[in-house]
Amino acid sequence: MASRYNHKDVEPRQRARWDAAKLFAAGEPDPKRAKCYVLEMFPYPSGRIHIGHVRNYAMGDVIARRRRAAGDQVLHPMGWDAFGLPAENAARERGEHPDVWTRQNIKLMRSQLQQLGFAIDWSREFATCEPSYYRHQQKMFLDLLKVGLVYRKKSKVNWDPVENTVLANEQVVDGRGWRSGALVEQRFLEQWMFQITRFGEELVTALDGLSGWPEKVRIMQQNWIGRSEGLRFSFAFDAATPCPLPGPLEVYTTRPDTLFGASFAAISVDHPITLALAQTNPELEAFAESCRRAGTSEEAIETQEKRGFDTGLRVVHPFDASKTLPLWVANFVLMDYGTGAIFACPAHDQRDLDFARKYGLPVLPVVLPHGADPSDISIGDTALLGDGTIFNSSFLDGLSIGEAKSAAIAKMESMGRGKGTVNFRLRDWGVSRQRYWGCPIPIIHCPTCGPVGVPEDQLPVELPEDVTFDRPGNPLDHHPRWKHVSCPTCSRPAVRETDTLDTFVDSSWYWARFCGQPLDQPTDLKAVEHWLPVDHYIGGVEHAVLHLLYSRFFARAMKLVGLQPTHEPFTKLFTQGMVTHATFRSQDGRWLSPDEVTLTGTNATEIATGAPAIVGPIEKMSKSKRNTVDPDDIVATYGADVARLFVLSDSPPERDVEWSVSGVEGSWRFIQKIWASFDALPATELGPMTTASQASGPALDLRRAAHKAIAAMSLAIDTYRFNSAIANLHELVGHVRRAEADTSAMMLEARIEALGILARLLQPFTPHLAEEAWTRIGGEGFVAVAPWPIADESLLSDATIMIPIQVDGKKRGELHVTKGLDKAELERMALNLPEAIHFIAGRPLDKVIVVPDRIVNIVTRGSEA
Ligand code: ANZ
Ligand code: ZN
């Protein structure tokens, strides 16, 4: 009698077995085994898990489970990125203490994750808001301070007026706070800085070695770091128009080859010379002020119209003393890039050209496009950006752009006027935040001694619990007692630093702490030596710049102070797509959740009112658009295995997957079908580790299908093609079911072998079902730790291979055939291939060269191939 698969019974029972056996504890480092550290970006405990989390952790879990079964020692931990603003907002809005709010969320989300059956070593769980974690972060801060990687600087900062805090440049998106969306203001504040630029060069060059990272992420990192090679040189001021400040004007350029095309020089509205001139020039002051109001961040500037102000000063061309250039103040020159001053060559730079056209400044081309005639080069509104040969440029004439750059730099250096330099867009990382719910910065400010590190034996500096959120600003600052202490050096009254660390710091090194958690040190040296780097790191592409860059910085900084051994923390990186869902709106614009509408064809009706509803685009699930699904509901209705299977089916994992009820039901039916294939096995003495080596005919076909599934799925999982792996599962299950009609002993043997393989292949995807199935067919212990099946090569031999088909030595098509086909057969197929017929184009054949399993080359008469 066939039994229906009941997830409500199976899933909790199997999880209880795993827990009792502590199956997923990583254990002490075992140098005799291969290790595999699988990590998904740890969650922020915002409330409940969403379906995107399910997809993220399901991917990591598939890898972790497969590697464990393959014999690796696997570390697959979980923790909580628990500091951050939403906790403080909850405190402000609901009067709940951030700590209480955070812990409640963690508790709920932990139980949700556990329900999904992830093979996680929960014994290593921690939250970054625990003093037992952040004390080590404070110690590291002091360690890095000693080696100069932490320093203090008064600097212009991005101020988020809604969050009342400083933002890193990376956290400003299009001139707005990345979280609040508020327009960012510029302020001057004392800041604690991490000197990420010390590793600027290395952070770029090491990208080449990160072959396990998506190309697009490497490019994003590279652009962010923005390494450029160029020249710093100085303009002397024309004696007729002396500068109010002493010294020449220093500029930075990446195009010294275009120097003879210079038409003006320009400085930032915040340049010291601008500030000096503005003191006596109210018109300039007004101009500068209006530019500042429009925003001086890179993003703000890119979108603004170019505006300028002629200072009336002139500078002398460094290569031609007879020529002077006007000096402008321009809104597109950034103060904190290069030197805050440039020379402009409008012919070969669009920004410069726009500016020159607007203010009637000269445009002189100096790069002649290949093949162009110097006499009819004219430039309209589009700058010439392409390659070419230098002309109109005295000693640079005739050189390529690259050669001219080198020659101009050499000349400038020999004149003692400049130096070839490397410049980075990357800025040091300001980490001070005026917030309560973050890691306290372990510094005491003494009026006599200045900033003093909190002595190590007094760490951690814990957050006070009794804080109030009834007024804006930092509760640590308002606290009546917390900040008042005595100076560790001179014992006089002093105050604590009340800024806390940017929460990106917390997530920059947690991967090292998971390896081992000694009480008195940030890392366990033996454990980090064993486990690091992380072998598979999985998470959202939204972290492609900030979080990954900061982690790469921290790896280097920690290595420098001897806390862990690796430069690059993550060997392989996988960025997964999102889970999307249809959206609907009522006629009056209310968002409707998908279960509030019925769909007939492409027409939607709001169930409650019977009125037609508007079908919106398919979008990332979000609460505001009401198109979310709650993983708890899915688990309750269909089971954890269905949820896991669905989020990995259908779409390649780097792409978005669209949630649909029919899709989920499809996964549910598949699970029923899988169970039926196990349940249909008649009683047998044979176990799931059987090898049906005597099989022939259809039984051999089944064996082949099973072993091909092993090979295909192993590869698919190892290359993050989880959807293909699931497609392989479908094929194998189909084959097993079709074989059920054959009740011969030989087939029964092949079937038990196939089912034994199937249970082990299912294990990473639908672990509860796999465990139940394993037991059903007489498997011992846990399928979760049963050895990963190994494909028998001899059974793969009829696997299809690709054979390139050439016509006269050029590849024109391919044949996908079973291995081992003979010459005659291959020749016949190749000659019948439409692409081959097309390229033979009716010519008589000279010969057909066939190398079985490798290639077919069709040679026509008269050709040389
Ligand atoms: C002259 C020139 C001629 C330039 C030309 C470009 C093209 P990257 O590659 O991003 O490093 N620049 C330098 N400092 C600047 C600042 N503070 N604000 C705005 N622009 C600045 O960019 C370097 C180029 O950007 C430099 O090379 C400079 O313009 C400009 F045909 O110098 B160039
Ligand atoms: Zn002191």
Side-chain angles (χ1 to χ4, degrees), residues 226 228 252-256 258 332-345 347-349 351-352 423 425:
S228 66
Y252 173 71
T253 177
T254 48
R255 295 294 306 272
T258 65
F332 67 83
V333 182
L334 303 163
M335 190 53 223
D336 63 358
Y337 187 73
T339 62
I342 64 162
F343 83 83
C345 176
H348 304 291
D349 183 278
R351 258 185 340 191
D352 297 350
N423 206 53
R425 212 192 94 152

Side-chain angles (χ1 to χ4, degrees), residues 98-109:
D99 189 57
V100 173
W101 184 85
T102 305
R103 278 175 194 291
Q104 278 165 359
N105 291 346
I106 289 176
K107 193 161 163 236
L108 179 63
M109 290 172 74

Side-chain angles (χ1 to χ4, degrees), residues 2 46 58-59 101 168 217 251 255-256 284 304 327-328 349 357 397 413 479 514 592 779 788 836 843:
S46 54
M59 288 179 190
W101 184 85
V217 174
V251 303
R255 295 294 306 272
L284 174 56
Q304 286 167 27
L327 177 66
W328 286 66
D349 183 278
R357 291 292 181 229
D397 281 354
E413 286 179 348
H479 192 281
F514 275 139
L592 300 172
W788 189 254
R843 289 192 299 275

Side-chain angles (χ1 to χ4, degrees), residues 131-420:
S132 58
Y133 179 78
Y134 69 66
R135 68 175 299 162
H136 303 297
Q137 193 160 299
Q138 293 174 337
K139 162 147 192 328
M140 269 193 290
F141 181 93
L142 297 171
D143 285 350
L144 301 188
L145 183 65
K146 282 185 202 122
V147 297
L149 281 169
V150 166
Y151 67 100
R152 196 161 162 76
K153 183 179 156 200
K154 181 150 191 159
S155 56
K156 191 154 104 177
V157 297
N158 304 303
W159 181 259
D160 185 321
V162 169
E163 296 198 4
N164 276 316
T165 193
V166 166
L167 299 176
N169 279 339
E170 294 89 324
Q171 293 164 345
V172 181
V173 180
D174 297 330
R176 293 173 182 273
W178 72 297
R179 202 158 17 201
S180 72
L183 272 180
V184 167
E185 299 165 8
Q186 308 292 315
R187 292 197 182 174
F188 268 95
L189 286 181
E190 285 276 4
Q191 289 279 292
W192 288 100
M193 310 290 293
F194 282 173
Q195 196 189 37
I196 189 167
T197 54
R198 186 181 312 179
F199 302 112
E201 188 76 44
E202 241 196 280
L203 286 166
V204 193
T205 46
L207 287 172
D208 290 338
L210 292 178
S211 54
W213 284 37
E215 178 73 7
K216 69 167 184 229
V217 174
R218 284 192 282 163
I219 291 173
M220 285 162 85
Q221 293 256 320
Q222 193 178 339
N223 291 343
W224 188 265
I225 299 166
R227 180 188 189 280
S228 66
E229 285 176 15
L231 167 71
R232 256 176 201 252
F233 72 93
S234 48
F235 280 111
F237 280 90
D238 184 356
T241 60
C243 177
L245 297 182
L249 174 68
E250 231 197 309
V251 303
Y252 173 71
T253 177
T254 48
R255 295 294 306 272
D257 54 307
T258 65
L259 250 167
F260 285 97
S263 97
F264 62 98
I267 53 179
S268 157
V269 295
D270 293 321
H271 194 282
I273 296 179
T274 311
L275 304 182
L277 291 172
Q279 288 188 348
T280 55
N281 186 339
E283 223 184 314
L284 174 56
E285 173 60 28
F287 170 78
E289 200 39 47
S290 96
C291 292
R292 283 185 205 113
R293 264 202 311 279
T296 52
S297 71
E298 207 170 317
E299 291 78 8
I301 280 171
E302 245 159 52
T303 52
Q304 286 167 27
E305 206 205 332
K306 314 278 165 282
R307 294 196 295 149
F309 187 97
D310 188 354
T311 63
L313 305 188
R314 295 189 78 86
V315 295
V316 183
H317 195 286
F319 291 152
D320 180 356
S322 69
K323 212 168 133 185
T324 63
L325 309 173
L327 177 66
W328 286 66
V329 174
N331 70 339
F332 67 83
V333 182
L334 303 163
M335 190 53 223
D336 63 358
Y337 187 73
T339 62
I342 64 162
F343 83 83
C345 176
H348 304 291
D349 183 278
Q350 192 59 47
R351 258 185 340 191
D352 297 350
L353 183 62
D354 295 345
F355 193 88
R357 291 292 181 229
K358 180 163 175 185
Y359 294 108
L361 294 157
V363 177
L364 176 68
V366 289
V367 181
L368 182 65
H370 295 304
D373 183 341
S375 58
D376 50 50
I377 286 286
S378 81
I379 292 169
D381 289 330
T382 311
L384 290 177
L385 302 180
D387 202 5
T389 307
I390 305 297
F391 73 132
N392 290 338
S393 294
S394 162
F395 70 97
L396 300 177
D397 281 354
L399 300 180
S400 70
I401 291 178
E403 289 163 350
K405 282 182 182 174
S406 307
I409 292 173
K411 172 103 183 203
M412 206 67 93
E413 286 179 348
S414 75
M415 290 161 56
R417 294 281 297 275
K419 200 161 170 26

Side-chain angles (χ1 to χ4, degrees), residues 21 25 111 230 248 252 262 498 584 732 741:
S111 82
Y252 173 71
T498 58
F584 300 97
L732 179 56

